[in-house]
Amino acid sequence: MGGDQPSPASDKGTGLPPLGQVRAGLFPGGGRLSSVGTGQQGQTPRQPEADPRGLAMWTSWWLWPLVAVCAADSFRNEAERIMRDLPLVDGHNDLPWQLLNLFNNQLLDKRANLTTLADTHTNIPKLKAGFVGGQFWSAYLPCETQNKDVVKRTLEQMDVINRMCQMYPEDFVCVTSSEGIRQAFREGKVASLIGVEGGHSIDSSLGVLRALYHLGMRYMTLTHNCNTPWADNWLVDDGVDKAQSQGLSDFGQQVVKEMNRLGIMIDLAHVSVATMKAALKLSKAPVMFSHSSAYSLCRHARNVPDDVLQMVKETGSLVMVNFYNYFVSCSEGANLSQVADHLDHVKKVAGAGAVGFGGDYDGVTRLPVGLEDVSKYPDLIAELLRRQWTEEEVRGALANNLLRVFEEVEKVSNHSETPEETPIPLDQLGGSCRTQYGYSEAPGLHQQPGALLACLVPLLFSLQPL
C-alpha cells in the first residue's frame, strides 16, 4: 500500500556516505571538497579528484528530501487550488447525532456553538479548512426506536439540521436540489442536505416517506443495523440477523419505486448484499452508498463487494468511501494512504465516475491517521494527485459524481405519476400496541386479543386497590 513504501529520502540501503562524512567534506573514494591546484612548487598540491559517481550519490542524498518536500507542497497546493474552485461534497456526517447526545438539540446552549465546538470531528472552522462545500447531514436514530417513537425522533433530527442553517446563515444554507448545491458553491456556503439513515424511520409507511421528502429528505438509507419489515440489513450477511425479506419484500419494492417517483436518492450503505442487488436492479435511477468502502480491501460486510461494484458501474451509481478504521483496514488502526487505496479500488472496478467521499465523521470512534477530522480532506486529495489521478477524476470525486447522480434522480422523478399506496400487510408490522385503523382484515383492535392484552398489562399493574 502507498503508505508502506520506503521514503525516497531514506538513506537505508542506498550506499550513500554517513552524514558525518558529508559534513567533513569527504566523498566516497577519499575525495574532498576543495580548490583544485596546479601541483606546482609553492602552490597548494592538487587534491585527489572526487569520484563523479560519489558526487552524484552525495547530491542525490541531500536533493531527494528537498524534492520530496517540494513535491508534497506541490500536490497539497494543487489540491487546494482545485478545491477552491470546486469544493467537496461529503455523503454522511453525524454531527446532528452529536448535538442530540451532547445538548439534546439545544443549539442556544453556549457549548453547542458550532464555531467553537470542541471534541467533535466537525465544526465550522474545520469545514472551511477542509474545503467542504456540501454536506449530507444524517438524521439518524438507533434501531431501538423502531416500532416506538422513531418518526417523532426523526422529525426532531431533521429540525435540528434546519435550525443549524437558520442559526448560521453566513456558513450554512439548507438546499434540496442539485442546483441548490451549485448555488451554495457560488455563495461560498456549505450546502446542507438531509439524509435519513435507516428505513425504520418511515415506520413502514409510504405516507411518512412522502412527508419526509416534502420536509427536505433527499436520501434515505434503506436499513441501518437492523432489518426493517421490508428490507434486510448487512448483519444478515454476517449471520447475526436472519433474512426476512430476501433483499426487498413486495412492500420494499414499493418503497424503492416511490423513492424514484419522488426524487429521493436510494442509499445502500448498511444493507445486505441481496438488498444491494435487488435495489440496483429495480431502481430506475442511479443509487448511492453514502458511507461504505471496498470489500476486497477489507472483508467487512458493511463494505461493497466487487460484483456489486460492477453493478454500480453499469447503473452509473456512486460509492462514497467511509473512513472508519474497521471498514478501511479491518483493524483498530488505519492511515490516509489506506483510504486512498479504497478510492483507487472503487475507481478501478466501478470507474472514476463512481467515486465519492462519505467520511462518517462524528459517527465513528476511530479514524485514520491523517484524516482525524473534516479539515483533513485536502491531504487526501493531495494523495490522489500524487497517485496520478487526473484533475477531472479528482473533480468527479469531489462533487461532480454526486451532482450527476442527484441530477439523474431528479430527472427520473415524476410527481404527476400515481403514487404507490398499497400498505404493508398488518402481520408484517412489529410492535404490540399499534392501532389497526384502515386494515379491512382487522378493522378493530378487539380482533387481536393478544395485542390488546399487551397494551393493557402496564395499565392494570399501575392501578391501586380502592
Side-chain angles (χ1 to χ4, degrees), residues 74-367:
S74 173
F75 290 125
R76 171 69 189 223
N77 291 340
E78 181 69 0
E80 291 190 9
R81 179 191 68 79
I82 296 171
M83 296 175 84
R84 283 191 183 94
D85 184 60
L86 183 69
L88 178 143
V89 178
D90 177 86
H92 192 88
N93 186 298
D94 277 298
L95 180 62
W97 173 245
Q98 296 300 328
L99 295 175
L100 173 61
N101 278 332
L102 297 172
F103 314 112
N104 201 12
N105 286 341
Q106 297 175 87
L107 298 185
L108 295 177
D109 187 321
K110 292 181 180 179
R111 298 170 300 164
N113 188 321
L114 297 186
T115 60
T116 58
L117 184 64
D119 302 321
T120 56
H121 304 142
T122 311
N123 62 28
I124 290 171
K126 290 175 183 177
L127 288 166
K128 290 180 178 179
F131 295 94
V132 177
Q135 183 64 67
F136 282 88
W137 302 107
S138 176
Y140 159 73
L141 280 309
C143 285
E144 66 185 287
T145 61
Q146 185 165 213
N147 300 318
K148 297 177 183 175
D149 58 349
V150 68
V151 175
K152 165 186 173 289
R153 289 287 199 165
T154 300
L155 292 173
E156 290 172 345
Q157 292 310 102
M158 294 175 70
D159 170 71
V160 81
I161 294 168
N162 280 305
R163 286 190 289 124
M164 285 167 53
C165 294
Q166 182 181 14
M167 286 194 65
Y168 301 91
E170 298 301 315
D171 303 297
F172 300 133
V173 56
C174 283
V175 304
T176 57
S177 67
S178 58
E179 178 53 33
I181 295 175
R182 296 182 189 278
Q183 180 60 34
F185 287 175
R186 290 190 285 268
E187 295 175 2
K189 298 179 182 180
V190 178
S192 295
L193 302 100
I194 298 174
V196 170
E197 187 179 17
H200 60 288
S201 282
I202 66 169
D203 200 24
S204 299
S205 167
L206 294 169
V208 172
L209 176 70
R210 286 187 281 271
L212 296 186
Y213 169 80
H214 291 301
L215 291 172
M217 175 181 72
R218 286 302 178 267
Y219 80 61
M220 184 177 76
T221 319
L222 297 188
T223 72
H224 194 249
N225 296 339
C226 56
N227 292 338
T228 66
W230 44 271
D232 293 335
N233 84 103
W234 68 275
L235 289 168
V236 167
D237 297 328
D238 260 0
V240 176
D241 288 349
K242 292 182 179 180
Q244 294 177 210
S245 303
Q246 313 308 318
L248 290 171
S249 72
D250 290 344
F251 183 79
Q253 293 177 37
Q254 283 195 83
V255 171
V256 167
K257 291 175 182 177
E258 188 65 0
M259 291 174 74
N260 281 168
R261 188 191 74 83
L262 290 167
I264 303 169
M265 286 182 282
I266 296 163
D267 178 22
L268 301 181
H270 285 279
V271 307
S272 69
V273 171
T275 307
M276 294 178 192
K277 293 180 177 180
L280 278 158
K281 289 177 181 177
L282 180 61
S283 177
K284 295 179 182 178
V287 306
M288 67 187 300
F289 292 78
S290 68
H291 57 303
S292 297
S293 298
Y295 183 81
S296 286
L297 299 188
C298 171
R299 300 175 74 83
H300 193 291
R302 267 285 280 107
N303 288 338
V304 188
D306 280 0
D307 58 339
V308 175
L309 286 178
Q310 188 61 43
M311 295 178 72
V312 167
K313 180 177 183 178
E314 293 166 0
T315 57
S317 297
L318 180 67
V319 177
M320 308 185 87
V321 169
N322 192 311
F323 297 173
Y324 184 38
N325 286 0
Y326 285 102
F327 302 160
V328 172
S329 67
C330 285
S331 65
E332 290 187 1
N335 59 47
L336 179 151
S337 181
Q338 290 172 306
V339 173
D341 292 339
H342 281 264
L343 294 161
D344 275 341
H345 187 82
V346 173
K347 180 163 78 88
K348 175 183 176 182
V349 178
V355 185
F357 304 97
D360 211 356
Y361 283 111
D362 284 306
V364 297
T365 53
R366 295 182 182 275
L367 288 161

